[in-house]
Amino acid sequence: MHIKTINGNTSDGGRAVGDGPAYGGPGGDGPGGPEPGGPGPGADGRGGGRLRADSAPVLAGAAVAVGAVGAFLALADIASPLRAPCTLFFLVLAPAAAVATALGRLDPLSRAVVAGAAAVAADLLVAQAMLALHIWSARGGVVAVAVLSGIVFLGVSVRRRHSGARGRGSRTN
């Protein structure tokens, strides 16, 4: 339904009532992008297709589950098409998560890059040591990486607990 004004245009800037926002009009995402101060892209104003911040724990839980499935499939020697990708995911995820906890004060991008590089280095170090000692096996590699990652996690945990206890005990009122 068009309502004509005196100059021949519609009252809503040239579009029919009920149509979506026109480019450049109020609430529209014209050639210059969304209006400053208005909601971002997406019908709900949450930013379109970007991940929301509260989905991070869900993604972390899913990553841990995939890594645990990979470790289980490798240790139980179950023939499955998911065994190789899930085990590889575990072999990268476990040491990367351990190193990332130790690097808590870095910005997230730097922490991810350093943790990923350290994970690959740890995997290569474990493989090289096992090959040099002639004890290479897939199960042994998964166990060695898990133990190494666990030691790093425990070391970080003990260090934080020890430094927190020392900090609280040294204060006087």
Side-chain angles (χ1 to χ4, degrees):
M1 169 173 129
H2 287 279
I3 301 174
K4 298 280 185 177
T5 59
I6 295 176
N7 61 0
N9 293 328
T10 59
S11 61
D12 58 353
R15 59 177 189 235
V17 176
D19 289 346
Y23 285 112
D29 294 338
E35 283 186 33
D44 58 359
R46 292 188 194 160
R50 288 187 283 165
L51 294 175
R52 293 183 14 210
D54 58 345
S55 64
V58 174
L59 290 174
V64 168
V66 169
V69 166
F72 173 75
L73 290 174
L75 294 175
D77 201 22
I78 297 174
S80 169
L82 295 177
R83 179 179 171 182
C86 290
T87 303
L88 181 62
F89 190 74
F90 171 78
L91 289 174
V92 174
L93 176 73
V99 171
T101 58
L103 301 172
R105 291 191 172 170
L106 286 178
D107 63 292
L109 180 61
S110 298
R111 185 173 33 209
V113 169
V114 171
V120 170
D123 289 340
L124 291 173
L125 190 66
V126 165
Q128 185 66 35
M130 290 180 76
L131 287 170
L133 296 172
H134 301 288
I135 57 172
W136 170 253
S137 73
R139 285 182 182 169
V142 169
V143 169
V145 168
V147 167
L148 183 65
S149 301
I151 288 171
V152 172
F153 269 127
L154 288 175
V156 171
S157 161
V158 166
R159 185 185 71 196
R160 286 184 181 170
R161 182 176 293 243
H162 180 67
S163 67
R166 182 178 49 196
R168 284 191 302 266
S170 65
R171 293 181 184 167
T172 58
N173 289 336

